Amino acid sequence: MAETTGRCLCGDIRYSFDAAHVLWRGHCHCESCRRATASPMTTFFGVTDGHWNWLEAEPVSYTSSEGVVRQFCGRCGTQLTYRAERFPDETHFYAATLDDPSEFQPEFHTNWQERLAWLHVDDDLLRFPAASAGKIA
């Protein structure tokens, strides 16, 4: 198992996952993710359930909309995961929480139609107008 780790800002919440079970890596531009992270977009990766675990304390859960649960550190507020009924058997982690995000390579943009006009993105990644099965938010 190629174990990779991540954590919240204060370090209370730590997680690990088997990198062989990362399903995808991408940027999300939806309004919900922007509001949850107070940023113009956010970046996730999906991991197959059963191939990741909490190493210390567990995060607080918040139902942000019907069928969607976001988890964050109850101490420092760092967003850690996104889970949705429409994406069964996978958990989406925020790439910025990786202990070493330097190796991370996103593959696409999703919810492209919701992007902010003032955020200029200059890359060659695929652009999905809306979320699709197996993709984020």
Side-chain angles (χ1 to χ4, degrees):
M1 174 168 119
E3 186 176 280
T4 304
T5 58
R7 66 177 179 84
C8 65
L9 177 63
C10 71
D12 278 1
I13 312 288
R14 298 191 57 74
Y15 64 90
S16 68
F17 62 95
D18 181 345
H21 290 275
V22 171
L23 302 167
W24 50 264
R25 298 171 298 278
H27 303 297
C28 184
H29 295 268
C30 80
E31 179 184 8
S32 178
C33 286
R34 288 196 315 263
R35 290 189 183 281
T37 62
S39 62
M41 68 177 200
T42 196
T43 305
F44 290 101
F45 58 95
V47 180
T48 306
D49 286 344
H51 296 278
W52 65 268
N53 62 296
W54 301 118
L55 299 177
E56 296 178 24
E58 292 192 16
V60 174
S61 295
Y62 170 67
T63 301
S64 59
S65 57
E66 187 175 339
V68 173
V69 174
R70 295 175 186 271
Q71 292 181 297
F72 59 94
C73 176
R75 181 174 177 203
C76 68
T78 300
Q79 292 284 322
L80 293 158
T81 71
Y82 171 96
R83 293 190 52 87
E85 290 175 2
R86 64 184 175 168
F87 305 122
D89 305 318
E90 66 183 74
T91 297
H92 306 171
F93 290 86
Y94 291 84
T97 65
L98 288 167
D99 284 333
D100 181 11
S102 65
E103 299 288 322
F104 184 86
Q105 291 295 315
E107 303 164 318
F108 59 83
H109 294 269
T110 192
N111 294 302
W112 185 249
Q113 83 287 355
E114 293 185 51
R115 73 189 179 282
L116 295 172
W118 51 261
L119 177 65
H120 299 285
V121 178
D122 184 22
D123 63 37
D124 295 326
L125 299 179
L126 294 171
R127 288 161 165 71
F128 297 103
S132 57
K135 302 292 187 285
I136 53 181

